[in-house]
Amino acid sequence: MSISKRVSLISPSPTLKISAKAKEMKLQGIDVISFSAGEPDFDTPVHIKEAAKKALDEGFTKYTPASGIRVLKEAICKKFREDNNLIFSPEEILISCGAKHSIFNAILSLCDEGDEVILPSPYWVSYPEMIKVAGGKPVILKTTEENNFKAKPEQLKEAITSKTKLFILNSPCNPTGTVYAKDELQLLSNILISSNVYCISDEIYEKIIYDGEEHVSIASLGEEIRQLTLAINGVSKSYSMTGWRVGYAAGAAKIISAMSNLQSHSTSNPTSISQMAALEALSGPQGQVTEMVGEFRKRRDFIVEKLNQIPGISCLKPKGAFYAFANVSGILEKEKVMKDSTSLAEKLLVEANVAVVPGAAFGDDNYIRFSYATSLKKIKEGVERIKKFLGKIL
Ligand SMILES: Cc1ncc(COP(=O)(O)O)c(C=O)c1O
């Protein structure tokens, strides 16, 4: 049996690999502290679960239109209008089985064989693999800690060739927590417009933002960039609904229609019940989002302070999302056995029983990623274990 070239090119998700190994160790009775999860540890708010129960009881259990139900599209339009100052009509919205699915639909609908897709690193693990499946070529823009992990306009300009089709922007960013400011987005937008390059703006962490930072959607900076941008969002992270699988894309009707067509021949509609739950999430009370973000902020302050006290580790304070992206180059330089982020993550798991994700998965081997979507107690214990382990070997 031979697997298609298209699928053979994909690497397995390194995040899932570490989580699976940590789970296996837990099953063996080992007390593992995991910083690998990409999801909030809070339960889905009760009023959202009640909306799903109601949908179920009322028999809302059949196929819906493949691109999603009209009332939810209208609620999404309202959300964009109120939160992002963006006017979309329901024809410009596609509801998918998670934001991941919307992004995949977008890349497959825009990329032809050999098209170049510009992707700032560190990046979310799935982007390069999706680009490869679509036959595209990821062109990596390396960003650095010194520049707060932000792509510079001149870097973007230099990377654009006649084959460039798409630029992927992720603000707030997984794994770095970087949030782009309006004036920075304006400069990137001007370059995209002048070269007619499309933009996927992944805004899934929009609401998980700290220190008075403001989330700005690049699509809101003018009609020309709105026409080139697909704004991606969803309910997974903001409403602690990762398992419900509802995400959405907003953009020019022509692209949304192509993406809907593709989706109609793959998954069809996202789960009917989940769509009703997402409707409640977007239109119901928002108090729990604020509470969750408040809790994440406390954990962020704590983990960043503690990590910076460990010799060999340094960590910027992230402005958004729920990850701390820690620089471990000081350890890798000194320790011959753990010469890269993957071997360090493996050692931490096996010897200190702490699960983290190696930076290599995100395109930068000098870092490891901690998800602080776990209790303060566990964060304290996990960081202590790392400190003790490194203290012994360095
Ligand atoms: C940057 C980014 N985009 C998209 C997603 C996917 O979200 P969803 O659960 O809605 O598919 C994730 C999930 O980890 C993410 O980190």
Side-chain angles (χ1 to χ4, degrees):
M1 190 180 69
S2 70
I3 301 299
S4 71
K5 227 192 273 165
R6 195 180 307 110
V7 171
S8 309
L9 283 174
I10 316 174
S11 328
S13 162
T15 340
L16 296 183
K17 210 165 125 191
I18 281 272
S19 310
K21 192 159 182 189
K23 268 189 196 143
E24 197 187 297
M25 287 172 66
K26 277 185 192 167
L27 281 178
Q28 289 166 8
I30 303 169
D31 166 31
V32 174
I33 293 193
S34 183
F35 291 111
S36 65
E39 59 184 356
D41 53 323
F42 308 104
D43 196 5
T44 304
V46 171
H47 66 100
I48 298 175
K49 291 205 264 190
E50 289 302 328
K53 286 183 199 166
K54 185 162 174 276
L56 198 54
D57 289 343
E58 288 177 356
F60 194 69
T61 54
K62 302 288 166 62
Y63 290 134
T64 76
S67 63
I69 53 177
R70 178 106 189 166
V71 273
L72 180 53
K73 287 186 185 178
E74 283 166 356
I76 292 168
C77 291
K78 184 165 176 274
K79 176 245 159 315
F80 275 117
R81 203 167 55 240
E82 289 174 359
D83 292 354
N84 312 104
N85 199 22
L86 268 166
I87 308 295
F88 287 111
S89 66
E91 288 65 41
E92 294 174 305
I93 307 290
L94 166 68
I95 306 163
S96 308
C97 311
K100 188 181 245 179
H101 187 210
S102 286
I103 299 167
F104 201 41
N105 282 328
I107 294 177
L108 276 177
S109 300
L110 287 173
C111 279
D112 276 317
E113 203 66 37
D115 281 349
E116 292 177 1
V117 181
I118 301 178
L119 178 62
S121 79
Y123 44 72
W124 178 46
V125 293
S126 292
Y127 300 135
E129 309 312 308
M130 291 183 185
I131 297 165
K132 285 189 267 171
V133 171
K137 186 178 155 219
V139 174
I140 307 299
L141 284 194
K142 189 170 166 45
T143 72
T144 61
E145 206 174 310
E146 292 67 42
N147 199 37
N148 286 313
F149 296 111
K150 287 177 186 173
K152 294 186 202 155
E154 53 273 24
Q155 264 184 307
L156 174 62
K157 206 168 179 176
E158 256 172 46
I160 294 177
T161 71
S162 59
K163 290 190 172 161
T164 307
K165 188 70 179 275
L166 187 60
F167 173 63
I168 300 186
L169 181 70
N170 176 211
S171 174
C173 174
N174 171 10
T176 60
T178 291
V179 176
Y180 283 76
K182 189 172 177 181
D183 55 339
E184 294 163 340
L185 293 172
Q186 189 67 64
L187 295 174
L188 297 176
S189 156
N190 293 346
I191 297 167
L192 297 173
I193 294 169
S194 66
S195 305
N196 204 30
V197 170
Y198 289 97
C199 177
I200 287 181
S201 176
D202 182 348
E203 302 172 11
I204 190 85
Y205 293 100
E206 167 186 26
K207 301 224 183 260
I208 304 172
I209 198 162
Y210 316 105
D211 306 336
E213 287 282 326
E214 188 200 358
H215 166 77
V216 176
S217 173
I218 193 169
S220 69
L221 298 179
E223 188 49 25
E224 280 175 295
I225 191 67
R226 193 189 88 100
Q227 288 297 328
L228 288 171
T229 302
L230 286 157
I232 310 284
N233 214 318
V235 294
S236 290
K237 315 284 178 177
S238 309
Y239 302 96
S240 211
M241 289 176 72
T242 46
W244 298 74
R245 310 310 303 134
V246 179
Y248 50 87
K254 198 173 155 199
I255 312 173
I256 290 293
S257 158
M259 289 163 61
S260 304
N261 199 2
L262 173 65
Q263 179 166 300
S264 77
H265 292 293
S266 49
T267 58
S268 294
N269 59 276
T271 307
S272 56
I273 305 155
S274 293
Q275 289 189 69
M276 291 310 275
L279 177 62
E280 174 61 23
L282 293 182
S283 0
Q286 302 292 306
Q288 271 157 305
V289 182
T290 319
E291 272 173 38
M292 184 174 75
V293 175
E295 195 53 41
F296 279 144
R297 193 189 47 73
K298 276 191 232 153
R299 296 170 181 185
R300 174 201 67 158
D301 292 349
F302 183 76
I303 195 168
V304 170
E305 189 193 333
K306 293 289 168 200
L307 286 173
N308 279 316
Q309 288 168 0
I310 302 178
I313 297 187
S314 67
C315 186
L316 288 184
K317 211 177 223 188
K319 298 284 186 192
F322 43 71
Y323 309 103
F325 202 52
N327 187 329
V328 289
S329 54
I331 298 167
L332 303 179
E333 275 159 21
K334 284 200 188 121
E335 178 50 43
K336 298 279 175 287
V337 186
M338 300 175 314
K339 55 188 182 318
D340 55 31
S341 62
T342 308
S343 45
L344 174 60
E346 273 168 14
K347 279 264 176 213
L348 288 178
L349 182 56
V350 175
E351 310 221 356
N353 297 339
V354 175
V356 298
V357 184
F362 310 98
D364 201 324
D365 213 8
N366 281 322
Y367 294 81
I368 53 178
R369 191 195 75 174
F370 293 77
S371 159
Y372 49 87
T374 187
S375 69
L376 272 175
K377 191 166 165 248
K378 288 208 171 131
I379 295 174
K380 188 162 184 245
E381 166 71 16
V383 177
E384 275 303 317
R385 285 187 194 179
I386 294 177
K387 194 173 177 180
K388 223 157 116 191
F389 168 70
L390 292 175
K392 257 194 303 189
I393 60 155
L394 288 181

